[in-house]
Amino acid sequence: MDSPGRKGATVTPNARALAHPSREDIRVEGVLHALSDPIRLRIVRRLAGAGDELACSHFDLPVSKSTSTHHFRVLRESGVIRQVYRGTAKLSVLRAEDLDELFPGLLDSVLGAAGLQAKRLGED
């Protein structure tokens, strides 16, 4: 069901459900914007390495909780990640299949470049 005022955002009757863009509403400029921030790129790299859902508490980010929430929201609203509540935990997973279908090779290229940069800078 579409949420009022948000074309393509899917919402379930659960009050804790989060809005996500449908696959058709994901735009390359939104994905690139989301991936352009070092903190968000760190989150995406961690999710890609995990290959499964991770709770927000699994991320050791050098920012406040409210700033972390902002970064996760940008990733979710751009279609890079999907988030769901399980009990009190908010779990995140990379929407790799959607991104690969829409923009073949983009995610792998960005993650590969980010990995090379991390090695070059001694961050890995």
Side-chain angles (χ1 to χ4, degrees):
M1 159 193 324
D2 282 347
S3 118
R6 295 215 38 180
K7 181 178 179 293
T10 56
V11 177
T12 62
N14 180 348
R16 292 185 55 116
L18 298 163
H20 297 84
S22 65
R23 180 185 282 189
E24 298 76 27
D25 288 330
I26 297 173
R27 299 289 177 252
V28 70
E29 60 272 17
V31 171
L32 291 173
H33 168 74
L35 296 175
S36 71
D37 182 90
I39 298 294
R40 293 192 292 264
L41 189 55
R42 180 190 293 194
I43 292 168
V44 170
R45 288 185 69 216
R46 178 79 192 276
L47 286 170
D52 200 7
E53 297 175 335
L54 290 178
C56 293
S57 61
H58 280 84
F59 296 86
D60 183 26
L61 302 174
V63 295
S64 68
K65 185 176 178 181
S66 64
T67 301
S68 292
T69 299
H70 164 75
H71 286 303
F72 278 98
R73 188 182 77 243
V74 169
L75 290 167
R76 178 174 44 82
E77 291 179 349
S78 68
V80 174
I81 66 171
R82 181 168 302 282
Q83 292 185 300
V84 295
Y85 280 103
R86 296 262 163 70
T88 59
K90 189 188 293 184
L91 302 178
S92 300
V93 66
L94 191 59
R95 291 180 68 176
E97 186 178 309
D98 288 336
L99 295 173
D100 289 342
E101 176 72 25
L102 292 167
F103 317 113
L106 176 67
L107 187 59
D108 288 339
S109 293
V110 170
L111 291 173
L116 291 172
Q117 175 176 279
K119 285 180 186 172
R120 182 173 47 88
L121 299 176
E123 297 172 350
D124 241 0

CSV table of all heavy atoms in Angstrom, one decimal, residues 48-100:
chain,number,residue,atom,x,y,z
A,48,ALA,N,27.6,-5.0,3.5
A,48,ALA,CA,28.0,-5.9,2.4
A,48,ALA,C,28.9,-7.0,2.9
A,48,ALA,O,28.8,-8.2,2.4
A,48,ALA,CB,28.8,-5.1,1.3
A,49,GLY,N,29.8,-6.8,3.8
A,49,GLY,CA,30.6,-7.8,4.4
A,49,GLY,C,29.9,-8.8,5.2
A,49,GLY,O,30.2,-10.0,5.3
A,50,ALA,N,28.8,-8.3,5.9
A,50,ALA,CA,28.0,-9.2,6.8
A,50,ALA,C,27.1,-10.1,5.9
A,50,ALA,O,26.9,-11.3,6.3
A,50,ALA,CB,27.1,-8.4,7.7
A,51,GLY,N,26.6,-9.6,4.9
A,51,GLY,CA,25.7,-10.5,4.0
A,51,GLY,C,24.4,-10.8,4.7
A,51,GLY,O,23.6,-11.6,4.1
A,52,ASP,N,24.1,-10.2,5.8
A,52,ASP,CA,22.8,-10.5,6.5
A,52,ASP,C,22.4,-9.2,7.2
A,52,ASP,O,23.1,-8.2,7.2
A,52,ASP,CB,23.0,-11.6,7.5
A,52,ASP,CG,21.7,-12.3,7.9
A,52,ASP,OD1,20.7,-12.0,7.3
A,52,ASP,OD2,21.8,-13.2,8.8
A,53,GLU,N,21.2,-9.3,7.9
A,53,GLU,CA,20.8,-8.1,8.7
A,53,GLU,C,21.7,-7.9,9.9
A,53,GLU,O,22.1,-8.8,10.5
A,53,GLU,CB,19.3,-8.4,9.2
A,53,GLU,CG,18.3,-8.6,8.1
A,53,GLU,CD,17.0,-9.0,8.7
A,53,GLU,OE1,16.9,-9.6,9.8
A,53,GLU,OE2,16.0,-8.7,8.0
A,54,LEU,N,21.9,-6.6,10.1
A,54,LEU,CA,22.6,-6.2,11.3
A,54,LEU,C,21.8,-5.2,12.1
A,54,LEU,O,21.2,-4.3,11.5
A,54,LEU,CB,24.0,-5.6,10.9
A,54,LEU,CG,25.1,-6.5,10.4
A,54,LEU,CD1,26.3,-5.7,10.0
A,54,LEU,CD2,25.4,-7.6,11.4
A,55,ALA,N,21.9,-5.3,13.4
A,55,ALA,CA,21.3,-4.3,14.3
A,55,ALA,C,22.2,-3.0,14.3
A,55,ALA,O,23.4,-3.1,14.1
A,55,ALA,CB,21.1,-4.8,15.7
A,56,CYS,N,21.5,-1.9,14.4
A,56,CYS,CA,22.3,-0.6,14.4
A,56,CYS,C,23.4,-0.6,15.5
A,56,CYS,O,24.4,0.0,15.4
A,56,CYS,CB,21.3,0.6,14.7
A,56,CYS,SG,20.2,0.8,13.3
A,57,SER,N,23.2,-1.4,16.6
A,57,SER,CA,24.1,-1.5,17.7
A,57,SER,C,25.4,-2.2,17.2
A,57,SER,O,26.4,-2.1,17.9
A,57,SER,CB,23.5,-2.2,18.9
A,57,SER,OG,23.2,-3.5,18.5
A,58,HIS,N,25.4,-2.8,16.1
A,58,HIS,CA,26.7,-3.5,15.6
A,58,HIS,C,27.6,-2.6,14.9
A,58,HIS,O,28.7,-3.0,14.5
A,58,HIS,CB,26.3,-4.6,14.6
A,58,HIS,CG,25.8,-5.9,15.3
A,58,HIS,ND1,24.6,-6.1,15.7
A,58,HIS,CD2,26.5,-7.0,15.6
A,58,HIS,CE1,24.5,-7.3,16.3
A,58,HIS,NE2,25.6,-7.8,16.2
A,59,PHE,N,27.2,-1.3,14.8
A,59,PHE,CA,28.1,-0.3,14.1
A,59,PHE,C,28.7,0.6,15.1
A,59,PHE,O,28.0,1.2,15.9
A,59,PHE,CB,27.2,0.5,13.1
A,59,PHE,CG,26.6,-0.3,12.0
A,59,PHE,CD1,25.4,-1.0,12.2
A,59,PHE,CD2,27.3,-0.5,10.8
A,59,PHE,CE1,24.9,-1.8,11.2
A,59,PHE,CE2,26.8,-1.3,9.8
A,59,PHE,CZ,25.5,-1.9,10.0
A,60,ASP,N,30.0,0.6,15.1
A,60,ASP,CA,30.8,1.6,15.9
A,60,ASP,C,31.1,2.8,15.1
A,60,ASP,O,32.1,2.8,14.4
A,60,ASP,CB,32.0,0.9,16.5
A,60,ASP,CG,32.8,1.7,17.4
A,60,ASP,OD1,32.2,2.6,18.1
A,60,ASP,OD2,34.0,1.6,17.5
A,61,LEU,N,30.2,3.8,15.2
A,61,LEU,CA,30.4,5.0,14.3
A,61,LEU,C,30.9,6.1,15.2
A,61,LEU,O,30.4,6.3,16.3
A,61,LEU,CB,29.1,5.3,13.7
A,61,LEU,CG,28.5,4.2,12.8
A,61,LEU,CD1,27.1,4.6,12.3
A,61,LEU,CD2,29.4,3.9,11.6
A,62,PRO,N,31.7,7.0,14.6
A,62,PRO,CA,32.3,8.1,15.4
A,62,PRO,C,31.4,9.3,15.4
A,62,PRO,O,31.9,10.5,15.3
A,62,PRO,CB,33.6,8.4,14.7
A,62,PRO,CG,33.3,8.0,13.3
A,62,PRO,CD,32.4,6.8,13.3
A,63,VAL,N,30.1,9.1,15.5
A,63,VAL,CA,29.1,10.2,15.5
A,63,VAL,C,28.1,9.9,16.6
A,63,VAL,O,28.0,8.8,17.1
A,63,VAL,CB,28.4,10.4,14.2
A,63,VAL,CG1,29.4,10.8,13.1
A,63,VAL,CG2,27.7,9.1,13.7
A,64,SER,N,27.3,10.9,16.9
A,64,SER,CA,26.2,10.8,17.9
A,64,SER,C,25.1,9.8,17.5
A,64,SER,O,25.0,9.5,16.3
A,64,SER,CB,25.6,12.1,18.3
A,64,SER,OG,24.9,12.6,17.2
A,65,LYS,N,24.3,9.4,18.4
A,65,LYS,CA,23.2,8.5,18.0
A,65,LYS,C,22.2,9.1,17.0
A,65,LYS,O,21.8,8.5,16.1
A,65,LYS,CB,22.5,8.0,19.3
A,65,LYS,CG,21.4,7.0,19.0
A,65,LYS,CD,20.7,6.5,20.3
A,65,LYS,CE,19.6,5.6,19.9
A,65,LYS,NZ,18.9,5.1,21.1
A,66,SER,N,22.0,10.4,17.3
A,66,SER,CA,21.0,11.1,16.4
A,66,SER,C,21.6,11.3,15.0
A,66,SER,O,20.9,11.1,14.0
A,66,SER,CB,20.6,12.5,16.9
A,66,SER,OG,21.7,13.3,17.0
A,67,THR,N,22.9,11.5,14.9
A,67,THR,CA,23.6,11.6,13.6
A,67,THR,C,23.6,10.2,12.9
A,67,THR,O,23.4,10.1,11.7
A,67,THR,CB,25.0,12.2,13.7
A,67,THR,OG1,24.9,13.5,14.3
A,67,THR,CG2,25.7,12.3,12.4
A,68,SER,N,23.8,9.1,13.7
A,68,SER,CA,23.8,7.8,13.1
A,68,SER,C,22.4,7.5,12.5
A,68,SER,O,22.3,7.0,11.4
A,68,SER,CB,24.1,6.7,14.2
A,68,SER,OG,25.4,6.8,14.6
A,69,THR,N,21.4,7.9,13.3
A,69,THR,CA,20.0,7.7,12.8
A,69,THR,C,19.8,8.4,11.5
A,69,THR,O,19.1,7.9,10.6
A,69,THR,CB,19.0,8.2,13.9
A,69,THR,OG1,19.2,7.5,15.1
A,69,THR,CG2,17.6,8.1,13.4
A,70,HIS,N,20.3,9.6,11.4
A,70,HIS,CA,20.2,10.4,10.2
A,70,HIS,C,20.8,9.6,9.0
A,70,HIS,O,20.2,9.5,7.9
A,70,HIS,CB,20.8,11.8,10.3
A,70,HIS,CG,21.1,12.5,9.0
A,70,HIS,ND1,20.1,13.0,8.2
A,70,HIS,CD2,22.2,12.6,8.3
A,70,HIS,CE1,20.6,13.5,7.1
A,70,HIS,NE2,21.9,13.3,7.1
A,71,HIS,N,22.0,9.1,9.2
A,71,HIS,CA,22.7,8.4,8.1
A,71,HIS,C,22.0,7.2,7.7
A,71,HIS,O,21.9,6.9,6.5
A,71,HIS,CB,24.2,8.0,8.6
A,71,HIS,CG,25.1,9.2,8.6
A,71,HIS,ND1,25.3,10.0,7.5
A,71,HIS,CD2,25.8,9.7,9.6
A,71,HIS,CE1,26.2,11.0,7.8
A,71,HIS,NE2,26.5,10.8,9.1
A,72,PHE,N,21.5,6.4,8.7
A,72,PHE,CA,20.7,5.2,8.3
A,72,PHE,C,19.4,5.6,7.5
A,72,PHE,O,19.0,5.0,6.6
A,72,PHE,CB,20.3,4.4,9.5
A,72,PHE,CG,21.4,3.5,10.0
A,72,PHE,CD1,22.3,3.9,11.0
A,72,PHE,CD2,21.6,2.3,9.4
A,72,PHE,CE1,23.3,3.0,11.4
A,72,PHE,CE2,22.6,1.4,9.8
A,72,PHE,CZ,23.5,1.8,10.8
A,73,ARG,N,18.8,6.7,7.9
A,73,ARG,CA,17.6,7.2,7.2
A,73,ARG,C,17.9,7.6,5.8
A,73,ARG,O,17.1,7.2,4.9
A,73,ARG,CB,16.9,8.4,8.0
A,73,ARG,CG,15.6,8.7,7.4
A,73,ARG,CD,14.9,9.9,8.1
A,73,ARG,NE,15.6,11.2,7.6
A,73,ARG,CZ,16.2,12.0,8.4
A,73,ARG,NH1,16.4,11.8,9.7
A,73,ARG,NH2,16.8,13.1,7.9
A,74,VAL,N,19.0,8.3,5.6
A,74,VAL,CA,19.4,8.7,4.2
A,74,VAL,C,19.6,7.4,3.4
A,74,VAL,O,19.1,7.3,2.2
A,74,VAL,CB,20.7,9.5,4.2
A,74,VAL,CG1,21.2,9.7,2.8
A,74,VAL,CG2,20.4,10.9,4.8
A,75,LEU,N,20.3,6.4,3.9
A,75,LEU,CA,20.5,5.1,3.2
A,75,LEU,C,19.2,4.4,2.9
A,75,LEU,O,19.0,3.9,1.8
A,75,LEU,CB,21.4,4.2,4.0
A,75,LEU,CG,22.9,4.7,4.0
A,75,LEU,CD1,23.6,3.9,5.1
A,75,LEU,CD2,23.5,4.6,2.7
A,76,ARG,N,18.3,4.4,3.9
A,76,ARG,CA,16.9,3.8,3.7
A,76,ARG,C,16.1,4.5,2.6
A,76,ARG,O,15.5,3.9,1.7
A,76,ARG,CB,16.2,3.7,5.0
A,76,ARG,CG,14.8,3.1,4.9
A,76,ARG,CD,14.2,2.9,6.2
A,76,ARG,NE,14.3,4.0,7.2
A,76,ARG,CZ,13.5,5.0,7.2
A,76,ARG,NH1,12.5,5.2,6.3
A,76,ARG,NH2,13.7,6.0,8.1
A,77,GLU,N,16.0,5.8,2.8
A,77,GLU,CA,15.2,6.6,1.9
A,77,GLU,C,15.7,6.7,0.4
A,77,GLU,O,14.9,6.9,-0.5
A,77,GLU,CB,14.9,8.0,2.4
A,77,GLU,CG,14.1,8.0,3.7
A,77,GLU,CD,13.9,9.4,4.3
A,77,GLU,OE1,14.6,10.4,3.9
A,77,GLU,OE2,13.0,9.5,5.2
A,78,SER,N,17.0,6.4,0.2
A,78,SER,CA,17.5,6.4,-1.1
A,78,SER,C,17.4,5.0,-1.7
A,78,SER,O,17.7,4.8,-2.9
A,78,SER,CB,19.0,6.8,-1.1
A,78,SER,OG,19.8,5.9,-0.4
A,79,GLY,N,17.1,4.0,-0.9
A,79,GLY,CA,16.9,2.6,-1.4
A,79,GLY,C,18.1,1.8,-1.3
A,79,GLY,O,18.2,0.7,-1.9
A,80,VAL,N,19.1,2.2,-0.6
A,80,VAL,CA,20.4,1.5,-0.5
A,80,VAL,C,20.2,0.4,0.6
A,80,VAL,O,20.8,-0.7,0.4
A,80,VAL,CB,21.6,2.4,-0.1
A,80,VAL,CG1,22.8,1.6,0.2
A,80,VAL,CG2,21.8,3.4,-1.2
A,81,ILE,N,19.5,0.6,1.6
A,81,ILE,CA,19.2,-0.4,2.6
A,81,ILE,C,17.8,-0.6,2.9
A,81,ILE,O,16.9,0.3,2.6
A,81,ILE,CB,20.0,-0.1,4.0
A,81,ILE,CG1,19.4,1.2,4.6
A,81,ILE,CG2,21.5,0.0,3.8
A,81,ILE,CD1,19.9,1.4,6.0
A,82,ARG,N,17.4,-1.7,3.5
A,82,ARG,CA,16.1,-1.9,4.0
A,82,ARG,C,16.2,-2.1,5.5
A,82,ARG,O,17.1,-2.7,6.0
A,82,ARG,CB,15.5,-3.2,3.4
A,82,ARG,CG,14.1,-3.5,3.9
A,82,ARG,CD,13.4,-4.5,3.1
A,82,ARG,NE,13.3,-4.3,1.6
A,82,ARG,CZ,12.4,-3.4,1.1
A,82,ARG,NH1,11.5,-2.8,1.8
A,82,ARG,NH2,12.4,-3.2,-0.2
A,83,GLN,N,15.3,-1.5,6.3
A,83,GLN,CA,15.3,-1.6,7.7
A,83,GLN,C,14.0,-2.2,8.2
A,83,GLN,O,12.9,-1.8,7.7
A,83,GLN,CB,15.6,-0.2,8.4
A,83,GLN,CG,16.9,0.3,8.1
A,83,GLN,CD,17.2,1.6,8.9
A,83,GLN,OE1,16.5,2.5,8.7
A,83,GLN,NE2,18.2,1.5,9.8
A,84,VAL,N,14.0,-3.0,9.2
A,84,VAL,CA,12.9,-3.6,9.9
A,84,VAL,C,13.1,-3.6,11.4
A,84,VAL,O,14.2,-3.8,11.8
A,84,VAL,CB,12.5,-5.0,9.4
A,84,VAL,CG1,12.1,-5.0,7.9
A,84,VAL,CG2,13.7,-5.9,9.6
A,85,TYR,N,12.0,-3.5,12.1
A,85,TYR,CA,12.1,-3.7,13.5
A,85,TYR,C,11.9,-5.2,13.9
A,85,TYR,O,11.0,-5.8,13.3
A,85,TYR,CB,11.0,-2.9,14.3
A,85,TYR,CG,11.4,-1.4,14.4
A,85,TYR,CD1,10.8,-0.4,13.6
A,85,TYR,CD2,12.3,-1.0,15.4
A,85,TYR,CE1,11.2,0.9,13.7
A,85,TYR,CE2,12.6,0.3,15.6
A,85,TYR,CZ,12.0,1.3,14.7
A,85,TYR,OH,12.4,2.6,14.9
A,86,ARG,N,12.7,-5.7,14.7
A,86,ARG,CA,12.5,-7.0,15.3
A,86,ARG,C,12.6,-6.8,16.8
A,86,ARG,O,13.7,-6.6,17.4
A,86,ARG,CB,13.6,-8.0,14.9
A,86,ARG,CG,13.6,-8.3,13.4
A,86,ARG,CD,12.8,-9.6,13.0
A,86,ARG,NE,12.5,-9.6,11.6
A,86,ARG,CZ,13.4,-9.8,10.6
A,86,ARG,NH1,14.7,-9.9,10.9
A,86,ARG,NH2,13.0,-9.8,9.4
A,87,GLY,N,11.4,-6.8,17.5
A,87,GLY,CA,11.4,-6.5,18.9
A,87,GLY,C,11.8,-5.0,19.0
A,87,GLY,O,11.2,-4.2,18.4
A,88,THR,N,12.8,-4.8,19.8
A,88,THR,CA,13.2,-3.4,20.0
A,88,THR,C,14.4,-3.0,19.1
A,88,THR,O,14.8,-1.9,19.1
A,88,THR,CB,13.7,-3.2,21.5
A,88,THR,OG1,14.7,-4.1,21.8
A,88,THR,CG2,12.5,-3.4,22.4
A,89,ALA,N,14.9,-4.0,18.4
A,89,ALA,CA,16.1,-3.8,17.5
A,89,ALA,C,15.6,-3.4,16.1
A,89,ALA,O,14.7,-3.9,15.6
A,89,ALA,CB,17.0,-5.0,17.4
A,90,LYS,N,16.3,-2.4,15.6
A,90,LYS,CA,16.1,-2.0,14.2
A,90,LYS,C,17.2,-2.7,13.4
A,90,LYS,O,18.4,-2.4,13.6
A,90,LYS,CB,16.2,-0.5,14.0
A,90,LYS,CG,15.7,0.0,12.6
A,90,LYS,CD,16.0,1.4,12.4
A,90,LYS,CE,15.1,2.3,13.2
A,90,LYS,NZ,15.3,3.8,12.9
A,91,LEU,N,16.9,-3.6,12.5
A,91,LEU,CA,17.8,-4.3,11.7
A,91,LEU,C,17.9,-3.7,10.3
A,91,LEU,O,16.9,-3.3,9.7
A,91,LEU,CB,17.4,-5.8,11.6
A,91,LEU,CG,17.3,-6.5,12.9
A,91,LEU,CD1,16.8,-7.9,12.7
A,91,LEU,CD2,18.6,-6.5,13.7
A,92,SER,N,19.1,-3.7,9.8
A,92,SER,CA,19.4,-3.1,8.4
A,92,SER,C,20.0,-4.2,7.5
A,92,SER,O,20.8,-5.0,8.0
A,92,SER,CB,20.4,-2.0,8.5
A,92,SER,OG,19.8,-0.9,9.3
A,93,VAL,N,19.6,-4.2,6.3
A,93,VAL,CA,20.2,-5.1,5.3
A,93,VAL,C,20.4,-4.3,4.0
A,93,VAL,O,19.6,-3.4,3.6
A,93,VAL,CB,19.3,-6.3,5.1
A,93,VAL,CG1,18.0,-6.0,4.4
A,93,VAL,CG2,20.1,-7.4,4.3
A,94,LEU,N,21.5,-4.6,3.3
A,94,LEU,CA,21.8,-4.0,2.0
A,94,LEU,C,20.8,-4.5,0.9
A,94,LEU,O,20.5,-5.7,0.8
A,94,LEU,CB,23.2,-4.3,1.6
A,94,LEU,CG,23.9,-3.6,0.5
A,94,LEU,CD1,23.9,-2.1,0.7
A,94,LEU,CD2,25.3,-4.1,0.3
A,95,ARG,N,20.3,-3.6,0.1
A,95,ARG,CA,19.4,-3.9,-1.0
A,95,ARG,C,20.2,-4.2,-2.2
A,95,ARG,O,19.9,-3.7,-3.3
A,95,ARG,CB,18.3,-2.8,-1.2
A,95,ARG,CG,17.3,-2.7,0.0
A,95,ARG,CD,16.3,-1.6,-0.3
A,95,ARG,NE,15.4,-1.9,-1.4
A,95,ARG,CZ,14.4,-1.1,-1.7
A,95,ARG,NH1,14.2,0.0,-1.1
A,95,ARG,NH2,13.6,-1.5,-2.7
A,96,ALA,N,21.2,-5.1,-2.1
A,96,ALA,CA,22.1,-5.4,-3.2
A,96,ALA,C,21.4,-5.9,-4.4
A,96,ALA,O,21.7,-5.5,-5.5
A,96,ALA,CB,23.1,-6.4,-2.7
A,97,GLU,N,20.4,-6.8,-4.2
A,97,GLU,CA,19.7,-7.3,-5.4
A,97,GLU,C,19.0,-6.2,-6.2
A,97,GLU,O,19.0,-6.2,-7.4
A,97,GLU,CB,18.7,-8.4,-4.9
A,97,GLU,CG,18.0,-9.1,-6.1
A,97,GLU,CD,17.1,-10.2,-5.6
A,97,GLU,OE1,17.5,-11.0,-4.8
A,97,GLU,OE2,15.9,-10.2,-6.1
A,98,ASP,N,18.3,-5.4,-5.5
A,98,ASP,CA,17.6,-4.3,-6.1
A,98,ASP,C,18.6,-3.3,-6.9
A,98,ASP,O,18.4,-3.0,-8.0
A,98,ASP,CB,16.8,-3.4,-5.1
A,98,ASP,CG,15.6,-4.2,-4.6
A,98,ASP,OD1,15.1,-5.1,-5.3
A,98,ASP,OD2,15.1,-3.8,-3.5
A,99,LEU,N,19.7,-3.0,-6.2
A,99,LEU,CA,20.7,-2.1,-6.8
A,99,LEU,C,21.3,-2.7,-8.0
A,99,LEU,O,21.6,-2.1,-9.0
A,99,LEU,CB,21.7,-1.7,-5.7
A,99,LEU,CG,21.1,-0.8,-4.6
A,99,LEU,CD1,22.2,-0.6,-3.5
A,99,LEU,CD2,20.5,0.5,-5.1
A,100,ASP,N,21.7,-4.0,-7.9
A,100,ASP,CA,22.3,-4.7,-9.0
A,100,ASP,C,21.4,-4.8,-10.2
A,100,ASP,O,21.8,-4.7,-11.4
A,100,ASP,CB,22.8,-6.1,-8.6
A,100,ASP,CG,24.0,-6.0,-7.7
A,100,ASP,OD1,24.6,-5.0,-7.6
A,100,ASP,OD2,24.2,-7.0,-7.0
